[in-house]
Amino acid sequence: GQQLNQSPQSMFIQEGEDVSMNCTSSSIFNTWLWYKQDPGEGPVLLIALYKAGELTSNGRLTAQFGITRKDSFLNISASIPSDVGIYFCAGQYTNAGKSTFGDGTTLTVKP
Amino acid sequence: SAVISQKPSRDICQRGTSLTIQCQVDSQVTMMFWYRQQPGQSLTLIATANQGSEATYESGFVIDKFPISRPNLTFSTLTVSNMSPEDSSIYLCSVLRTGHTEAFFGQGTRLTVV
């Protein structure tokens, strides 16, 4: 089946720094999604991408759908302590809504 | 986004018993899914809950172990049967609203089997 490689696995950064994480796939996707999960909670949707090359922002977050449709990245600018959590990428191939998830990037922000 | 309520939020269960998890959505949705998240791991799709018919299971998951119901457009249940410690995970309900392709998640049910 489709597999997603998400990197890095974890990041330890200073408050105010920018963050970048990415996902690559062995096969193409039609939709890329980025989620954040806080402890004890379900994933919360941050950004959805629907077209190859699409660049979308949500506040300090920016994500791009790769031209090859096999990759996506998420950038967080000027990180703050509440950015701490696990970030997951997810890809969808069909419109059936089923998502394949990456392994997650655990972000720690030091004040 | 849809408001998704999952019950229970957490439970500790004895091995060999079964637990039924409920998922209630505040509006009609087209698709409902159940995911499992093992400790420190990513999310894995268990099955798609189909209204009024049998769920569609992903490879590695079977109906006898994870029976699923979806009697209407806003409610679904997942049962974890004959539990063992390996079933200790977070179980998450996910929904797709009409005309949308992005999925929204409930807060999850944290299950510990002892």
Side-chain angles (χ1 to χ4, degrees):
Chain A
Q2 296 165 322
Q3 292 197 337
L4 290 184
N5 295 310
Q6 186 172 347
S7 64
Q9 275 190 330
S10 61
M11 302 182 74
F12 295 82
I13 63 169
Q14 206 72 36
E15 182 176 359
E17 289 183 355
D18 296 343
V19 171
S20 185
M21 59 192 79
N22 68 85
C23 273
T24 58
S25 170
S26 57
S27 51
I28 62 174
F29 286 108
N30 291 332
T31 302
W32 281 97
L33 306 167
W34 285 93
Y35 292 87
K36 177 175 183 259
Q37 186 176 30
D38 292 327
E41 301 290 329
V44 173
L45 182 66
L46 299 173
I47 292 180
L49 302 159
Y50 304 104
K51 289 194 313 185
E54 180 180 353
L55 184 71
T56 296
S57 293
N58 178 7
R60 293 178 295 105
L61 278 60
T62 302
Q64 185 159 30
F65 193 141
I67 291 290
T68 65
R69 295 168 63 195
K70 292 184 179 182
D71 63 309
S72 177
F73 72 74
L74 174 71
N75 287 343
I76 305 173
S77 63
S79 59
I80 59 178
S82 62
D83 291 333
V84 165
I86 305 176
Y87 292 80
F88 290 99
C89 63
Q92 293 180 3
Y93 179 66
T94 70
N95 290 329
K98 299 194 297 184
S99 299
T100 299
F101 279 79
D103 289 336
T105 296
T106 301
L107 178 63
T108 302
V109 180
K110 294 177 283 188
Chain B
S1 64
V3 176
I4 306 165
S5 301
Q6 261 187 255
K7 292 181 183 178
S9 58
R10 59 176 62 231
D11 208 342
I12 301 174
C13 300
Q14 296 290 324
R15 68 177 68 201
T17 63
S18 298
L19 176 71
T20 296
I21 302 167
Q22 299 180 359
C23 179
Q24 178 74 56
V25 192
D26 68 341
S27 57
Q28 290 187 356
V29 295
T30 53
M31 310 285 287
M32 295 183 79
F33 306 95
W34 287 98
Y35 285 81
R36 180 176 73 181
Q37 187 176 25
Q38 294 177 300
Q41 303 293 315
S42 185
L43 285 76
T44 301
L45 181 64
I46 297 172
T48 302
N50 300 310
Q51 187 206 353
S53 64
E54 191 173 291
T56 305
Y57 290 84
E58 298 299 307
S59 175
F61 297 96
V62 296
I63 188 171
D64 289 345
K65 177 65 176 178
F66 298 102
I68 289 170
S69 78
R70 189 181 172 192
N72 57 54
L73 288 173
T74 63
F75 184 78
S76 178
T77 66
L78 167 75
T79 299
V80 186
S81 303
N82 188 24
M83 289 183 284
S84 66
E86 291 71 35
D87 294 320
S88 298
S89 293
I90 300 172
Y91 292 87
L92 294 147
C93 172
S94 173
V95 305
L96 224 60
R97 291 180 299 146
T98 304
H100 294 259
T101 56
E102 61 274 10
F104 296 92
F105 286 83
Q107 82 276 18
T109 296
R110 183 178 295 271
L111 171 63
T112 302
V113 184
V114 297

